[in-house]
Amino acid sequence: MKTKVNYSFLAILALSFCSLFFTQVFAQDTNPTSKSEWNYLVEPYLLFPNMSGTVGLADLPEVTVDANTNAIFGHLKMGAMLYAEASNDKWAIGSDLIYMSLAQGIKPGSTYISGEVTAKQFAWEVSGLRKVNTWLELGVGGILNSVNSGVNIQLALSGGPVVFKNKEMTKTWFDPMLIARIKSKAGEKFVYQFRGEIGGFGIGSDLAWQMQAVAGYQFSKLFSITGGYRIISLDYKTGSGQDYFHYNIDTSGPTVIFGFQF
């Protein structure tokens, strides 16, 4: 069952967050500092995903997606993830690219016997974070989501024959995001990071949120390896009739990240 979103609460949360963010920005900008040196980070990474939720297309019944890591990787066609960041002693500007192409069989339901769901998912997030202190950063960002989803099912009509139906649709939307990040101090060998995001607010998704916690080791000034867990949640609905599209999916799983710093 879809959870009803309290948009008044989310609006208050967004205004409170932005107020805190810009208060910190203006307060710190009144203190003169020397010119900052920019550092660059490139992180190719792996995500071992579990997916759960529902997908609805046109007049077909909504199908349930509930696949574990083994099931997903048994049907994985392609997956690529890359994070890049430029930062100095005040700002961090990031870009996060995710692309996955999946196919998964569905479990029999009350109105369908069997079938398959396919999904090609592209997400690109651009973010800007302001350092509040040595361990906390606050900021804003935006995610461009594009999902091509297809459903092929065998319908069991009451008192009638089995009917084969299929539908494929592509939808693209933008989600504004509020971001908070806690991370280890620069120069430490043991590194960690916790990042939380919330957004959508009905502009794109009804609700979009992410959480990621990772920890690892800085082997040298150039190279690090971290691992942890990431959750990406999207609840997007649009259209009606033959244009109806509902993508309510949580993707979560372990991550392994290879970091290269310059």
Side-chain angles (χ1 to χ4, degrees):
M1 179 182 295
K2 181 181 174 182
T3 302
K4 185 177 180 180
V5 179
N6 188 328
Y7 291 106
S8 297
F9 171 76
L10 292 178
I12 293 172
L13 177 65
L15 289 173
S16 300
F17 186 96
C18 290
S19 176
L20 175 61
F21 173 62
F22 287 111
T23 297
Q24 291 292 336
V25 170
F26 294 140
Q28 291 190 26
D29 279 345
T30 58
N31 299 322
T33 59
S34 60
K35 185 177 181 180
S36 300
E37 179 181 354
W38 287 90
N39 300 296
Y40 303 94
L41 172 67
V42 177
E43 291 183 327
Y45 65 97
L46 302 174
L47 173 65
F48 302 93
N50 296 273
M51 299 179 69
S52 62
T54 57
V55 175
L57 301 179
D59 58 351
L60 299 183
E62 292 202 351
V63 297
T64 299
V65 178
D66 189 8
N68 59 30
T69 301
N70 291 334
I72 290 177
F73 272 86
H75 298 85
L76 183 65
K77 298 178 181 178
M78 182 183 297
M81 295 90 175
L82 180 66
Y83 180 79
E85 181 176 292
S87 63
N88 59 20
D89 62 352
K90 291 183 179 180
W91 296 96
I93 301 171
S95 170
D96 193 10
L97 287 167
I98 298 177
Y99 178 79
M100 290 189 294
S101 179
L102 306 166
Q104 180 206 338
I106 62 176
K107 296 180 180 179
S110 59
T111 58
Y112 48 86
I113 301 173
S114 63
E116 183 181 61
V117 173
T118 60
K120 295 179 181 178
Q121 181 179 351
F122 170 82
W124 179 32
E125 179 179 28
V126 176
S127 60
L129 300 174
R130 173 74 183 201
K131 291 183 170 66
V132 177
N133 52 43
T134 57
W135 55 270
L136 176 63
E137 298 171 344
L138 301 176
V140 295
I143 304 176
L144 179 67
N145 296 291
S146 182
V147 175
N148 173 274
S149 185
V151 174
N152 297 278
I153 57 175
Q154 299 179 43
L155 293 175
L157 302 179
S158 178
V162 174
V163 177
F164 295 86
K165 287 196 174 185
N166 62 81
K167 184 70 175 181
E168 181 177 337
M169 300 176 69
T170 300
K171 294 294 180 180
T172 301
W173 69 94
F174 176 81
D175 288 325
M177 306 296 290
L178 303 177
I179 308 167
R181 182 167 73 172
I182 297 171
K183 60 184 298 187
S184 54
K185 296 179 182 179
E188 295 185 351
K189 287 295 184 180
F190 175 75
V191 292
Y192 61 86
Q193 175 179 280
F194 174 82
R195 180 174 177 133
E197 304 185 23
I198 187 169
F201 309 121
I203 296 173
S205 301
D206 288 344
L207 180 64
W209 62 271
Q210 297 191 45
M211 286 195 302
Q212 179 173 267
V214 298
Y217 191 77
Q218 186 78 39
F219 291 93
S220 67
K221 188 176 180 180
L222 173 65
F223 181 66
S224 65
I225 296 179
T226 55
Y229 202 83
R230 183 172 185 177
I231 303 172
I232 303 171
S233 180
L234 296 173
D235 186 0
Y236 176 76
K237 182 187 290 186
T238 187
S240 60
Q242 292 300 313
D243 195 43
Y244 177 73
F245 182 92
H246 187 198
Y247 189 81
N248 184 7
I249 294 292
D250 295 342
T251 304
S252 63
T255 60
V256 179
I257 304 170
F258 305 92
F260 301 89
Q261 301 181 57
F262 307 92

